[in-house]
Amino acid sequence: MEDTLRIGGLPMVRLRARDPPAAGPAFLEATVLPGRGMMLLQARLRLASGAVVDALSAPDPGAAAREFDGGADDFAGNRSFSFGGAILAPYANRIRGRGVEGAREIDTTVAGRALRLPRNWGGKAPAAEQYAMHGLILDAAVPWRQDAPERVSGRLEAGDFGGRWPGRAVLEFDWRLEGGALALQVTAQNAGDDPLPMGIGWHPYFALPSGDRRQARLRLPARSRALVNDYDEVLPTGALQPVAGGSYDFSEPGGRALGGAYLDDCFTDLEREGGLAMAEIRDPASDLGLRIASPSQQVRAMQVYAPPDKAFVVVEPQFNLADPYGAEWGGRDTGMALIPAGDSVTYDARVTAFALENR
């Protein structure tokens, strides 16, 4: 039943849709890397024209394997979130702290407990702050199984993530191709005796098949944007700004053209539609729309990363705001789940494709 190849020393599991729609946009294949935290490397998507394209911005498998070399750029698995679609846990986005002299680490506090996290990202300017970024499973090897061509599952006995996180966690992953859609589910279970803090997210680089980023449109019904100090460090100030009527208002039914705007912004106070937190990316030049939706009530934010010189849009549904335990938030609920002993929380994301002429 397994459809497995290897890239470098990593298993590469291929999913194939069992019964996709006969016509119209649909996801047909997907490639998952269990050795990189169950990240999605690529997905193949049929357009309304019948052409089949790569849905994600990512290198071919051989080039991807070379990226995962454990070198300076891949410290703590960083290369996993530079393309494809990495899964982020036990926190998404940034966590700030005090740098540890002589080590690529920070001292910080999570849910009242002093911890040391990898200092794996930060601003590029001289003296810019460095911090922890996108969780602790970016290069984790996850035991996995494929019981059907259209599905792959994994289970990681994460424990305390090598002494870097409070509590004990078990993470279960499930990727599926169903009904023309691509679906991800991540369940975090508290296997310890104390409450387990948990933030989960997903980091997909959705490619624009037309390559024409200026005409691409984003729809994201949200009431607020988290302000940041700048687009280098991208650190939250603790202020939330209403977006209605402004240049960051993407709530109109047809979305808003991206034009030349640079985005690396976290949107919150999400306006759910039919119980779903959602966003849409529209590429009119290729007659393609992608709808990213989550029924998880714990999804409180969507980070959007869209440089104007790139033909992709990253939309990240995630539990938490950036730096969720930072003093700048003044005690605000920043979206981190606190799972009681023996309980669990589930993250769901589903991507469906549609032809714009039908919307």
Side-chain angles (χ1 to χ4, degrees), residues 219 253 278 280 282 289 291 352-359:
R219 180 173 181 245
M278 59 79 61
E280 289 181 350
R282 296 172 177 239
R291 189 171 198 255
T352 53
F354 57 89
L356 298 183
E357 62 188 23
N358 295 330
R359 296 292 290 245

Side-chain angles (χ1 to χ4, degrees), residues 24-41:
F27 285 92
L28 304 178
E29 295 182 1
T31 304
V32 173
L33 301 181
R36 299 293 291 200
M38 295 294 288
M39 74 174 286
L40 184 68
L41 176 61

